[in-house]
């Protein structure tokens, strides 16, 4: 194989290379929640993927170093919430280590299967976890959608170039 002059300077694979490349890839923003023995947990995810229509299934990645991982590793059900562009602060709260994610600034309620459901999101689903697949320092969680509500309001929130934003008008 020969290199062409328009490829730029290739770098060896590294965590920094992967982050740099994916900063150029816009992704939808979701918050995944679950109920633990000590209360609700949740985290911001940009790795949400539709896996199957029949049965309806999705997947997302979660770091094994995340404060939410011990609960996600053991729970049967998770909530998946698609955020709107009006929820940049909520996305940042659930992404920040040590944040009081379910404190006074977060509107939520106990939903089906005991899963914490966030208020004011464009769409949410409650899912049954079917697999946790090792993938480096993460796990890919595969879950079957049990029920949801796609009727909330708001344009989608996206993550691009290291920040949250809405889609251009």
């Amino acid at each position: 194989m020969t290199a062409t002059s328009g490829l730029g300077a290739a770098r060896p694979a590294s965590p920094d290379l992967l982050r740099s490349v994916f900063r150029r890839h816009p992704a939808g923003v979701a918050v995944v929640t679950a109920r633990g023995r000590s209360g609700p947990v949740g985290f911001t995810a940009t790795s949400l993927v539709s896996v199957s229509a029949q049965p309806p299934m999705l997947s997302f990645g979660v770091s094994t170093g995340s404060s939410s991982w011990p609960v996600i590793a053991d729970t049967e059900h998770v909530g998946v919430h698609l955020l709107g562009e009006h929820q940049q602060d909520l996305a940042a709260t659930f992404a920040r280590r040590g944040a009081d994610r379910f404190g006074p600034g977060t509107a939520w309620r106990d939903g089906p299967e005991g899963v914490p459901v966030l208020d004011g999101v464009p769409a949410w689903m409650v899912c049954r976890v079917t697999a946790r697949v090792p993938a480096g320092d993460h796990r890919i969680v595969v879950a079957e959608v049990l029920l949801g509500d796609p009727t909330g309001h708001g344009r989608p929130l996206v993550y691009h170039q290291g920040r949250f934003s809405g889609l251009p008008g």
Side-chain angles (χ1 to χ4, degrees), residues 90-115:
L90 185 65
T93 296
F94 276 84
R96 193 169 43 253
R97 282 196 176 276
D100 184 3
R101 296 173 178 156
F102 290 91
T106 303
W108 65 282
R109 64 191 181 288
D110 286 322
E113 304 296 341
V115 171

Side-chain angles (χ1 to χ4, degrees), residues 14-89:
S14 69
D16 183 56
L17 173 67
L18 190 68
R19 285 185 203 100
S20 294
V21 168
F22 273 88
R23 276 188 196 103
R24 297 176 175 270
H25 177 68
V29 180
V31 166
V32 177
T33 61
R35 169 72 59 189
R37 287 187 200 116
S38 299
V41 300
F43 63 95
T44 299
T46 57
S47 60
L48 183 65
V49 177
S50 171
V51 172
S52 168
Q54 195 55 264
M57 298 181 86
L58 56 80
S59 72
F60 57 86
V62 57
S63 169
T64 57
S66 162
S67 61
S68 298
W69 171 242
V71 172
I72 300 297
D74 195 44
T75 193
E76 290 184 39
H77 297 93
V78 294
V80 177
H81 308 81
L82 305 184
L83 299 190
E85 66 182 353
H86 62 287
Q87 295 175 308
Q88 292 182 27
D89 290 343

